[in-house]
Amino acid sequence: MITFSNVSLIYPQSTKTILEDLSFQIEEGEMVLVMGETGSGKSSLLRLINGLVPHHTGGILAGDISVDGISTRSVKPGSLAHLVGIVGQNPINGFVTDIVEEELAFSMEALNFPPDVMRKRVEEVLDLLSLSALRNRSIATLSGGEQQRVAIGAALVMHPKVLVLDEPTSALDPIAAEEVLSVLHRLVHDLSVTVIIAEHRLERVIQFVDRIIYIEGNGDTSIGTADEILKRSELVPPIVKLARALNLSEIGTSVREVRRQTEDIRNNQYSRPLVPSLENSPAIEISRVSHSYSEKSALNKVNAVINHGEIVAIMGRNGAGKSTLLHSIVGLHSPHSGEIRVNGADPTLLKGAARRRAIGYVPQEPSDLLFASSVEEECVLADRNNEIAPGSTAALLNRLVPHISLHAHPNDLSEGQRLALVLSIVLSGNPDVLVLDEPTRGLDYRAKNLFAIALKEYARQFNRPVLLATHDVELVAELADRVLFLAEGEIVADGTTLEVLLSSPAFAPQVAKVMSPKPWLTVADVVHAIEASA
Amino acid sequence: MKKPLHPLTLWICAILLAIGVVALDNAYIALAIVGAVALLVYIRRDGSPWQRSFLLSLRIGAIILAIRTIVGILIGVPIPGTKLFTLPILDLPTWMPGIRIGGAVTLERLSSSLHEGVIIATMIALFGAATSLTSPHKLLRVTPSFIYEIGITLVIATSLFPQLATSARRIRTAQKLRGFEKIELRSIAIPLLEESLSRSLQLAAAMDARGYGISRKRSRYRPQPWLMRDNLTLLLTAAAAVTMVTR
């Protein structure tokens, strides 16, 4: 279906080749995962398939790519619209109309399909993706998962033979992500659509894919079945890490496979590890906080206490009120009723330097805080603002992520590097409390790991609380001491990470699913337990 | 909600009214029209992001009105009439004859400046109302496909405007939370520009990938019908505009 022969790609004004001498073939009805570190060229590879690269972005392409026998060199991306459907990273940025139905029909209108065909196909897709109830809704009012489904539907109406998706689940909560992935699975199996997908959270997709294209950091590319690639790759989901740590003969990609191999481990008896209990010294106190946006209630009488030295994750589905709660805590708005105290102070009254010392906040889009023209300039600015020794911020950054070029423009950094820069700027103010809103979107495992170490160090070393809102269950399992679970603006669960994550199958991390009913969340937990009993 | 008017109707009405306002040159009627339009926008509000462009256009209009009035009072030829107060006259070099800065401010001078400002502000408010009543995307749907390049530019430009406002607010908030009380232009403009550029590119790429502009003809899914209501609205507005012009 898709043939890459000796493809190399380089962007103008860049000295680094994105892809080098890449050749592979993808058959009809295959589901292929493209993985690699951030900035390794996954998106470029995806956009080569329908010719958006280089037709839309510029760049020099050597070799040839053909889709269903058509070379992408000879035609514009639009001429492949009936063959290749593409869904971008942020579907909201690619929507052209504002009503679900019109959005689905857009491509067909542009290609002058007769009205009766359009009506029929729109109905088909609405049914296939269970979007019928949303047909007249304005797209802006849909949830993230629904928007993703609309974007997939808008590509599917053309009956494409190939569907290309760039990180389709990165903004979604685990349940919405599963919804989207099961739709893709069905397309592959029922309609024999070829699906090519890029994703960082391998644990979400690995069980569905037939083959993997792995773009390594040094520019090498390998292609093979999931087992072949994961056996030796550096980026692996927790389930493969577990298999490696336990020296299993085979690595499995689904919970079921690994469960079969680990039966004897689960059947042994282990002593329960002692959980060091934290002393109760409240840092953030939230009492009966309610908030609403134009009659729509976002928070409803939320009570919570966050102690010093504790890392607390706020979880919940999209639109459950996580961001509103964080905004109230950092003092963006005062809640309509109730009270919030951060180390005894009202966060809405904090200003300037006092604010920087009291609350460090990393927003959802870290680049909102960056405006200087080089990394060095940002660091110098932070040093001056916080009246600390020159070079401190740069040193901190170097510890988080070594080898960032100080002369690079912040916009040219990879997602992980940019987050590290923002984090070191925020930490340079030496804040008493650290609050982060969905910090790990678009980070690969390595960057996530570094990030988790930095947060743990901050919390343990200074005995200060860290509060983060996230969808990433694996990160929460590794990092958090406690989880607050929000639903419809109310806290429905508040307990240790172990209690909360184990009690909900959808939010359980992979290791917990494999090892259930043993109370282990991460590979490290399993290894410790086995070592302790041996 | 009732079926809305055809997007083109609203735009043509806005243009006709703008012509009428300029031709009639009556500040009271202009203000009355702004009031009527504001009421219309208020009634048809549905919380969509482009709805804010009307308020924004009012704000821009007010700024223009203020600048026009101040400049009108300070500079210009004296108009005789009821004297309100006198400003000190600035001495200008002899090679600038006929221009006076300061001097007596008469009621007539004040009112003529205000008047001109109101007319300009009204025109801006009219176009602001048109954008806030019809989503820019809807306008694209009625653009013929032979002006494809213009269509694509139009949709990007018009959808950028409300997005700019949302993004600017988000960035401002983020920086306020970082403890920057005095917001510099640069610190907002740079992230804002970067974001807007990349968003526009993404939208253009998405439209390209979906075959926009490939076929010379394009069909309509549930075409927006041109109804009797549109005819009537246009007729009435045209009549009003003609009356205003010929008076």
Side-chain angles (χ1 to χ4, degrees), chain A residues 24-41:
Chain A
F24 61 85
Q25 275 195 340
I26 296 174
E27 305 301 327
E28 188 183 353
E30 249 191 305
M31 185 154 173
V32 178
L33 168 74
V34 181
M35 67 179 218
E37 289 179 22
T38 31
S40 59

Side-chain angles (χ1 to χ4, degrees), chain A residues 56 78 93 96 98 101 103 107 109-110 112-113 118-119 332 352 355-356 368-369 385 409 425, chain B residues 50 135 137 141 170 173 175-181 194 202 208 210 215 217-219 221-222:
Chain A
H56 205 271
N93 291 351
V96 188
D98 21 52
E101 236 181 334
E103 184 64 30
S107 291
E109 280 184 324
N112 198 23
F113 277 46
M118 280 199 268
R119 287 301 286 272
L332 189 61
R355 166 173 284 283
R356 281 196 290 274
D368 285 357
L369 291 183
N385 278 331
H409 193 280
I425 289 172
Chain B
W50 47 87
S135 100
H137 297 318
R141 280 169 55 78
R170 202 196 64 231
T173 322
Q175 300 198 347
K176 219 167 88 190
L177 290 175
R178 192 179 159 188
F180 289 163
E181 289 307 321
E194 276 165 7
Q202 277 180 39
D208 240 5
R210 292 169 69 184
S215 161
K217 282 173 85 180
R218 63 183 302 215
S219 48
Y221 177 81
R222 300 212 173 161

Side-chain angles (χ1 to χ4, degrees), chain A residues 181-193:
Chain A
L181 286 166
S182 65
V183 164
L184 294 179
H185 187 68
R186 213 162 89 221
L187 291 176
V188 171
H189 284 262
D190 293 357
L191 305 175
S192 211
V193 178

Side-chain angles (χ1 to χ4, degrees), chain A residues 409-445:
Chain A
H409 193 280
N411 212 31
D412 293 335
L413 300 178
S414 74
E415 297 268 348
Q417 291 173 329
R418 209 173 316 155
L419 177 68
L421 175 59
V422 169
L423 192 62
S424 38
I425 289 172
V426 170
L427 286 182
S428 72
N430 203 9
D432 294 332
V433 173
L434 188 61
V435 179
L436 308 103
D437 198 353
E438 304 239 1
T440 56
R441 269 182 78 171
L443 292 196
D444 56 47
Y445 287 117

Side-chain angles (χ1 to χ4, degrees), chain A residues 97-127 131-132 134-137 153-154 157-158, chain B residues 3 6-7 137-138 140-143 210 217-225:
Chain A
T97 65
D98 21 52
I99 307 293
V100 171
E101 236 181 334
E102 290 175 4
E103 184 64 30
L104 293 180
F106 178 81
S107 291
M108 295 190 286
E109 280 184 324
L111 294 177
N112 198 23
F113 277 46
D116 51 329
V117 176
M118 280 199 268
R119 287 301 286 272
K120 207 177 105 242
R121 287 207 185 169
V122 167
E123 293 306 321
E124 273 171 20
V125 167
L126 285 173
D127 287 340
L131 287 168
S132 300
L134 309 173
R135 63 190 314 158
N136 288 320
R137 288 269 296 277
V157 286
M158 300 302 292
Chain B
K3 258 199 148 177
H6 198 274
H137 297 318
K138 274 199 191 115
L140 175 80
R141 280 169 55 78
V142 296
T143 340
R210 292 169 69 184
K217 282 173 85 180
R218 63 183 302 215
S219 48
R220 297 258 184 276
Y221 177 81
R222 300 212 173 161
Q224 176 107 36

Side-chain angles (χ1 to χ4, degrees), chain A residues 65-79:
Chain A
I65 300 155
S66 72
V67 182
D68 205 22
I70 304 174
S71 165
T72 58
R73 256 171 203 289
S74 51
V75 291
K76 275 187 164 184
S79 310

